[in-house]
Amino acid sequence: MNRHELMSYFRIPTLLLFAALLLTGCDSFSAGADNSRTSETSRQPAERGEHNGHDEAGHASDEHDGVEKGELGSDHAEGESGHDGHGEENPDSVKLSAEQFQQLDIAIGQAESGTASASIQAPATLHFDADRVARVGPRLQAKVVKVTADLGEAVSRGETLAVLDSVALGKEKAAYLTAAARFNTRQAAYARDRKLAADQIVSDSDLAESRAAYEQAKAERRAKRAELKLYGLDNAAVDAIRSGGDEPLSRLELVAPRDGVIAKRDLVAGQTLGANETPIHVVDNTRMWLMIDAAEQALPYLKKGQKVSFTVRPLPDESFIGVIDWISPQLDEQARTVRVRAVVENPDGLLRAGMFADADIDAGASSGKRSRIALVPVDAVQQIGEREGVFLPAGPEGAYTFQPVSTGAENQGQVEIREGIRAGDTLVVRGAFDLKAALTAGGRSAAHGH
């Protein structure tokens, strides 16, 4: 065999061996690529984009991009389903689980129609009607001789309450008697001169002079009489003044200026009283004043003529009625209250000055259009952050929505809702605080179980 034939003999097996190795390498590469694709596909499913007309390198790159897009798409799909499958949630909604719903005490009701200020409660105190109180005193210095009326006694107008002795009054009475005597003298002289003048016995100038003296004496007597009345003597007492009588001119009687009862008696026999003292008070207590301290928020609802019902602590089972006749134009700067006065009839005398009372003012008549405002229990309104609101049922049992509202006046456990809901709307009237806690816990709804 020549060399050429020998080379041909060994070339054929070599080519076959190379071909076999090449085929084996291709199968391994193909298997590796398939395994790689299978591994990535099993780790995260992805939607492949179609990239027709690209070479192998481009196709491999597309496959890698498709895996990343598949992973993002999967995350996005999970985000669209919301937290634990709830979808895009309303941040003001809360969903209770069946177990939570059974454990919480939640009640549903309707918003009432009215105004929180239809009835205004306020503390009050009873006082005597100042227009029916008479303060009695000597109006000049005097000494008490005896007291004829005691505390709590009913007295009539003109009845003597106490007897006093006053030197100053004696002097005034003496001066009055002097003026009265002069008047009587001048009056008689003037009457005589008029007769004489008619007979032309007295000249006109003498008559004029007599008349002037009479008018002067008349004026002096009138002035002294008026002065005695200023000291508490009435016309009958002044007319009764006589010189040389059994009763000394210094004697002074304090008398009741009106019908009533003795509410104060601050004097005893032998006591000296000053001109400015009023030791006896006579009060007509058949009518009283109820002085009410109402909160300033009640001002828009207060009007004259409104009825006031009230109870007093000593008589809790008795109810009394009064009518507002005055509202103070000024607030108490410290307590932020307004003084309101009601007139109360007290024919039986059951009410006494100084009694504390609980007043209930009927402001319904002054509410006007506000009578249709929604009213809800105070506990139904909860504050979350800067917002006030109530919870409304939202679909299936255990689902609720926080509804922001604008509140108004509050009274007797109820609050006005000016905006947000209307009278008759359904809401959570009990258990709103628990729903607030569920809604605000971790910034997630109660359905998350956090």
Side-chain angles (χ1 to χ4, degrees):
M1 181 178 296
N2 58 28
R3 190 177 66 173
H4 180 72
E5 289 176 342
L6 182 61
M7 293 294 293
S8 298
Y9 177 80
F10 287 105
R11 184 180 297 171
I12 292 173
T14 301
L15 291 174
L16 291 175
L17 177 61
F18 179 76
L21 293 173
L22 181 62
L23 290 174
T24 303
C26 289
D27 291 340
S28 299
F29 177 80
S30 176
D34 290 342
N35 291 337
S36 176
R37 285 193 297 270
T38 302
S39 175
E40 291 197 12
T41 301
S42 62
R43 179 173 57 86
Q44 184 63 265
E47 295 182 1
R48 315 283 185 183
E50 294 182 2
H51 302 279
N52 295 331
H54 289 267
D55 57 10
E56 284 186 334
H59 182 67
S61 176
D62 287 345
E63 285 181 345
H64 179 68
D65 291 342
V67 171
E68 290 183 350
K69 291 178 182 177
E71 290 175 351
L72 294 174
S74 175
D75 291 343
H76 179 65
E78 183 180 353
E80 285 184 344
S81 66
H83 298 290
D84 297 337
H86 282 281
E88 294 183 0
E89 291 186 352
N90 181 349
D92 286 339
S93 66
V94 58
K95 177 67 172 69
L96 302 177
S97 66
E99 182 180 358
Q100 288 174 318
F101 184 77
Q102 293 296 327
Q103 291 178 349
L104 298 180
D105 182 19
I106 296 176
I108 306 298
Q110 289 186 330
E112 299 179 9
S113 176
T115 170
S117 299
S119 179
I120 301 170
Q121 282 74 42
T125 308
L126 280 162
H127 295 262
F128 290 124
D129 184 338
D131 296 332
R132 298 190 173 206
V133 176
R135 299 183 178 185
V136 183
R139 303 182 188 180
L140 41 70
Q141 191 174 40
K143 186 174 184 178
V144 179
V145 176
K146 64 178 179 178
V147 181
T148 59
D150 203 358
L151 281 172
E153 286 187 11
V155 295
S156 302
R157 179 185 177 92
E159 184 177 338
T160 300
L161 307 176
V163 178
L164 291 75
D165 207 6
S166 173
V167 175
L169 181 62
K171 291 180 179 179
E172 293 299 329
K173 285 182 178 180
Y176 168 74
L177 289 176
T178 300
R182 184 180 296 113
F183 167 76
N184 292 334
T185 300
R186 296 302 184 186
Q187 184 181 41
Y190 176 57
R192 184 185 67 247
D193 289 343
R194 288 179 63 185
K195 276 184 154 189
L196 294 175
D199 297 336
Q200 296 183 349
I201 298 174
V202 176
S203 65
D204 291 342
S205 61
D206 291 338
L207 180 62
E209 185 177 343
S210 178
R211 179 177 180 180
Y214 161 70
E215 293 293 343
Q216 182 179 358
K218 182 179 180 180
E220 290 175 354
R221 190 196 70 155
R222 181 179 298 171
K224 290 299 181 180
R225 187 180 184 92
E227 191 172 349
L228 289 174
K229 292 177 73 173
L230 288 176
Y231 293 142
L233 279 67
D234 56 15
N235 288 327
V238 174
D239 292 337
I241 296 174
R242 296 286 186 272
S243 60
D246 295 334
E247 186 175 285
L249 292 179
S250 60
R251 186 57 47 87
L252 170 64
E253 292 185 355
L254 296 182
V255 299
R258 65 178 309 135
D259 296 343
V261 296
I262 305 298
K264 179 180 179 181
R265 199 208 83 164
D266 190 14
L267 76 171
V268 293
Q271 179 179 349
T272 299
L273 302 176
N276 297 323
E277 294 186 63
T278 54
I280 299 178
H281 292 184
V282 180
V283 177
D284 178 5
N285 65 339
T286 59
R287 177 179 292 178
M288 305 284 285
W289 280 353
L290 182 70
M291 303 304 296
I292 307 166
D293 295 313
E296 62 178 328
Q297 292 86 349
L299 270 173
Y301 312 103
L302 296 174
K303 293 185 181 297
K304 291 182 180 179
Q306 288 173 333
K307 289 186 178 180
V308 181
S309 62
F310 66 96
T311 58
V312 292
R313 298 177 186 179
L315 304 169
D317 297 329
E318 295 280 348
S319 181
F320 303 90
I321 301 295
V323 178
I324 293 177
D325 71 337
W326 175 80
I327 301 171
S328 174
Q330 182 178 0
L331 287 177
D332 184 304
E333 295 181 0
Q334 299 298 324
R336 308 308 302 170
T337 56
V338 60
R339 207 74 191 267
V340 180
R341 185 181 70 194
V343 176
V344 181
E345 298 298 331
N346 185 36
D348 299 328
L350 294 177
L351 301 175
R352 298 174 183 269
M355 282 183 171
F356 291 113
D358 296 315
D360 190 338
I361 302 173
D362 181 10
S366 64
S367 301
K369 296 180 180 179
R370 297 179 60 85
S371 61
R372 296 186 179 182
I373 289 179
L375 282 179
V376 302
V378 172
D379 292 339
V381 180
Q382 298 295 322
Q383 184 151 354
I384 299 179
E386 299 296 327
R387 301 181 301 166
E388 282 187 318
V390 298
F391 285 92
L392 308 180
E397 187 176 61
Y400 305 94
T401 300
F402 181 74
Q403 171 63 45
V405 298
S406 174
T407 59
E410 177 183 330
N411 191 31
Q412 285 188 304
Q414 290 189 310
V415 60
E416 296 176 349
I417 305 298
R418 296 178 179 176
E419 295 179 359
I421 63 171
R422 297 180 180 180
D425 286 353
T426 302
L427 74 155
V428 175
V429 295
R430 188 175 68 247
F433 179 80
D434 293 329
L435 293 179
K436 169 188 172 180
L439 179 60
T440 57
R444 301 170 64 89
S445 70
H448 293 162
H450 296 293

